[in-house]
Amino acid sequence: AQSVAQPEDQVKVAEGNPLTVKCTYSVSGNPYLFWYVQYPNRGLQFLLKYITGDNLVKGSYGFEAEFNKSQTSFHLKKPSALVSDSALYFCAAARQLTFGSGTQLTVLP
Amino acid sequence: GAGVSQSPSNKVTEKGKDVELRCDPISGHTALYWYRQSLGQGLEFLIYFQGNSAPDKSGLPSDRFSAERTGGSVSTLTIQRTQQEDSAVYLCASSLAGTDNQPQHFGDGTRLSIL
């Protein structure tokens, strides 16, 4: 059975600083990995995905994620955080998306 | 273009009643998924429809839960004899094809409260 772990329930960063939201996975075979963002009272929005190829994946709103096979990680990153990035972030593995428990990101002005 | 539409957005009902939740996927999307998001927890997979194939019901928590997808489009999730632990946000998603590399597009969910 596949699993996804997000070890941090909350991450706080100051606006303008780089941010990282961590994700590790356990998937047999080649992993298909996704990041989604959820704003209050809304559904999830797709940010980016890793299927194959370059380990650094670029997505929406300036986010990127680095796939590391040896560490079985897929951390979400952004060079300069915005207050508007504050939301709940989910890492997931395909197909009936196995989700991590979510990380609440707060960007402080 | 229209996204995934779910109705109602909120539903409050008494314990023991039956409820129906509706999902209208993006036009042309052949795959449809239902998830449950409980407070303070992640998302739990419930059921998956792909085209005319038999649905994957492996995530349904009990036989009180069922779902249909008529004409390969609109889906209805039915919960019979609701219990308080059924209170959650029920999210529907669709994707262009039920392949692993396709992102899923989510509706805003139905917030279900069982009194």
Side-chain angles (χ1 to χ4, degrees):
Chain A
Q2 60 186 26
S3 64
V4 176
Q6 293 179 242
E8 301 159 319
D9 291 337
Q10 292 193 45
V11 170
K12 294 184 179 181
V13 298
E15 187 174 32
N17 282 1
L19 70 86
T20 298
V21 183
K22 296 180 180 178
C23 171
T24 59
Y25 65 88
S26 174
V27 174
S28 58
N30 294 324
Y32 293 158
L33 301 167
F34 299 79
W35 275 102
Y36 287 81
V37 60
Q38 186 178 33
Y39 296 98
N41 300 313
R42 301 298 302 276
L44 279 69
Q45 296 179 28
F46 168 72
L47 278 180
L48 51 78
K49 67 179 180 182
Y50 173 82
I51 304 300
T52 187
D54 257 348
N55 288 342
L56 186 63
V57 179
K58 294 190 183 295
S60 307
Y61 312 119
F63 284 93
E64 57 190 28
E66 186 169 9
F67 173 70
N68 188 315
K69 188 173 184 178
S70 62
Q71 297 185 5
T72 62
S73 67
F74 188 55
H75 300 331
L76 181 70
K77 300 182 179 184
K78 187 172 183 180
S80 179
L82 300 173
V83 172
S84 57
D85 294 330
S86 300
L88 188 58
Y89 289 80
F90 289 96
C91 181
R95 177 188 56 193
Q96 295 109 346
L97 292 182
T98 300
F99 284 88
S101 54
T103 298
Q104 181 66 50
L105 173 67
T106 302
V107 180
L108 304 169
Chain B
V4 176
S5 177
Q6 292 188 245
S7 61
S9 55
N10 286 281
K11 178 72 175 178
V12 180
T13 193
E14 295 179 346
K15 177 183 171 181
K17 300 287 189 182
D18 297 351
V19 295
E20 285 189 353
L21 312 180
R22 176 188 169 102
C23 173
D24 201 342
I26 293 173
S27 178
H29 281 195
T30 62
L32 187 148
Y33 308 79
W34 283 98
Y35 297 90
R36 178 167 69 176
Q37 184 176 25
S38 301
L39 189 62
Q41 299 184 21
L43 278 75
E44 173 189 11
F45 164 75
L46 296 177
I47 189 169
Y48 158 63
F49 296 89
Q50 171 54 48
N52 295 322
S53 302
D56 178 348
K57 304 179 182 180
S58 60
L60 294 179
S62 78
D63 59 8
R64 296 187 295 106
F65 288 72
S66 63
E68 291 184 340
R69 189 179 185 191
T70 54
S73 181
V74 172
S75 177
T76 302
L77 177 69
T78 301
I79 309 174
Q80 295 179 310
R81 304 181 303 281
T82 53
Q83 301 179 6
Q84 288 187 331
E85 59 263 32
D86 299 334
S87 296
V89 176
Y90 290 82
L91 292 167
C92 176
S94 69
S95 68
L96 190 59
T99 54
D100 293 354
N101 61 358
Q102 291 291 327
Q104 296 180 19
H105 300 265
F106 285 79
D108 286 341
T110 294
R111 185 174 300 275
L112 177 63
S113 299
I114 309 299
L115 302 178

